[in-house]
Amino acid sequence: MKVAILGFGTVGKGVYKIIKKANGQTQNLSVSHILIRKNKEPILPEMTSEIDKILNDRETEVVVEAIGGIEPAHEYILSALKHGKNVITANKAVIAIYLKEFTEAAEKNNVKFYFEASVGGGIPWIQGLEKALRIDNVNSISGIFNGTSNFILDQMSRNGESFVDVLKKAQKLGYAEADPSADIDGYDVANKLCISADIAYNIDIQNHQSLPIFGIRNITCADVKYFQRRGLAVKLIGRTHQSGDKFDYVVEPTLFLDRTLEANTPDNYNLISLNGDTIGQLDFFGQGAGMYPTANAVIQDILDIAERKIHLKRNFDKKMHYCPELTKGNYLVRSNKKIDSIFKDYQLSQEGAYVEVKKIPVGEMHHLMKEVLKSDAAAFMVSLPSQGEVA
Ligand code: HSE
């Protein structure tokens, strides 16, 4: 089966190398073209800067989109589907917005659009979620969806290294996004949570980036040390659950007791959990970022197409709405300004350098934290491990 790769960054290179290694069932795959930018010198015979050459090549059955970002990735994916090519991508940013459109285009043109590598890197998370949905309602999803931020928090807590130094390491290792602010500010987690919730609830979440998202940009070594002394580890978490026709959705730093799976998820690893009616809690653990784990998941999708394996069909047409009050939580806030008046409607207590805000709806917490950041741009918040109360 002939495969074209759009883009030759971390993911594109990984796919190329695994196919060239020709091990196991990848022996039946070959790379027909690699799309590179017009201003780049081709260094491999497969390289071209002409997208039309790829789209019009009848022998190429699969296009791997590994450009990243929204445009031209969106345009190329749609064109490839319309030209009768199966499309595989790891590009969570474009899928989080256009999953329904891509799925419909694939259906119309009788081809497949698969995207296992977009969430959880090498972990078969989408496959696991889809399998759970064959039997169960998946009522909640939560976990560590971003390898870079996990790597940063892990190294900070293990070695006391600074945020900036560890971020540079993560970039060198190929974990971080081209613009790592998506990793640090929680938007990469938001994309992955959006894709997961769309599939789990069969919905099409709009403007997911405007929902409650708070990253780890402002965390300090002193924060990490304080949490450690209390037997807690901080992780950047994405979380959603559904109830009736409502769902909640949040990305935020969260504290976990030392003995939990989350607290013990190291390096660039991801840990994603779902809760289903009959399966109960199911945890998926593995490398969530990096060239080979991500490329491995892309190739698994290509092999599924070669073997005519059909993934779960979703229309993304169920009507549900996001509810900012569905979950309440307890939070620690660190700010060098007095914040009592901002949180005046909630019970507060002083915890070391932090103010604890009790039983506040998650949406309201994120809204009020924006107020705090207006007068203290370095303020930080973290949600406490006590179970969020479901209203
Ligand atoms: N930058 C992403 C991460 C890559 O660190 O998880 C994998 O999606």
Side-chain angles (χ1 to χ4, degrees), residues 136-194:
D136 277 352
N137 289 317
V138 168
N139 298 310
S140 67
I141 293 169
S142 71
I144 299 167
F145 287 85
N146 183 267
T148 303
S149 57
N150 203 60
F151 183 76
I152 292 173
L153 294 172
D154 188 46
Q155 296 275 317
M156 281 175 84
S157 64
R158 271 194 224 212
N159 315 328
E161 281 181 84
S162 81
F163 185 94
V164 176
D165 287 347
V166 192
L167 174 60
K168 278 189 199 140
K169 266 199 215 170
Q171 284 174 305
K172 268 202 197 127
L173 288 164
Y175 301 160
E177 296 301 301
D179 172 4
S181 56
D183 296 303
I184 296 160
D185 295 327
Y187 292 101
D188 182 70
V189 179
N191 289 335
K192 293 165 176 171
L193 188 63
C194 176

Side-chain angles (χ1 to χ4, degrees), residues 230-242:
R230 287 187 53 183
L232 300 165
V234 58
K235 297 288 176 182
L236 182 59
I237 293 295
R239 211 169 62 231
T240 173
H241 91 277
Q242 62 165 329

Side-chain angles (χ1 to χ4, degrees), residues 159-378:
N159 315 328
E161 281 181 84
S162 81
F163 185 94
V164 176
D165 287 347
V166 192
L167 174 60
K168 278 189 199 140
K169 266 199 215 170
Q171 284 174 305
K172 268 202 197 127
L173 288 164
Y175 301 160
E177 296 301 301
D179 172 4
S181 56
D183 296 303
I184 296 160
D185 295 327
Y187 292 101
D188 182 70
V189 179
N191 289 335
K192 293 165 176 171
L193 188 63
C194 176
I195 296 167
S196 305
D198 279 354
I199 297 171
Y201 311 150
N202 198 21
I203 57 176
D204 181 21
I205 299 177
Q206 303 290 313
N207 294 323
H208 66 287
Q209 303 240 332
S210 65
L211 298 177
I213 301 168
F214 193 91
I216 58 163
R217 181 179 289 273
N218 287 353
I219 197 165
T220 63
C221 282
D223 291 324
V224 174
K225 276 200 195 114
Y226 176 79
F227 304 143
Q228 269 179 323
R229 279 202 300 274
R230 287 187 53 183
L232 300 165
V234 58
K235 297 288 176 182
L236 182 59
I237 293 295
R239 211 169 62 231
T240 173
H241 91 277
Q242 62 165 329
S243 177
D245 63 352
K246 300 188 182 90
F247 68 95
D248 64 11
Y249 179 105
V250 64
V251 178
E252 62 189 13
T254 304
L255 292 170
F256 290 90
L257 296 172
D258 277 348
R259 62 168 185 274
T260 56
L261 288 178
E262 285 83 356
N264 290 286
T265 297
D267 298 323
N268 65 335
Y269 282 79
N270 285 185
L271 172 73
I272 313 179
S273 308
L274 63 77
N275 207 290
D277 296 332
T278 64
I279 194 69
Q281 176 157 330
L282 203 50
D283 301 305
F284 295 77
F285 175 86
Q287 286 193 70
M291 177 189 282
Y292 287 119
T294 311
N296 178 295
V298 169
I299 306 264
Q300 291 288 0
D301 276 344
I302 300 176
L303 294 177
D304 278 359
I305 287 170
E307 291 173 3
R308 306 200 183 286
K309 279 201 183 134
I310 310 282
H311 294 190
L312 186 80
K313 278 208 167 74
R314 292 308 242 181
N315 301 324
F316 308 106
D317 58 358
K318 192 167 167 198
K319 297 285 168 250
M320 288 178 80
H321 61 271
Y322 161 72
C323 175
E325 294 97 35
L326 202 55
T327 310
K328 285 180 187 161
N330 299 329
Y331 289 81
L332 292 180
V333 179
R334 172 182 46 70
S335 171
N336 58 21
K337 295 278 177 340
K338 272 206 92 53
I339 56 169
D340 303 36
S341 61
I342 294 179
F343 293 100
K344 63 182 180 325
D345 295 337
Y346 299 94
Q347 198 190 328
L348 305 178
S349 62
Q350 196 69 36
E351 291 291 327
Y354 308 83
V355 172
E356 182 173 343
V357 184
K358 297 198 174 79
K359 293 188 182 168
I360 181 168
V362 168
E364 176 76 344
M365 181 67 212
H366 281 248
H367 173 67
L368 294 179
M369 196 59 200
K370 286 202 174 103
E371 290 301 309
V372 175
L373 287 170
K374 278 184 194 162
S375 58
D376 176 9

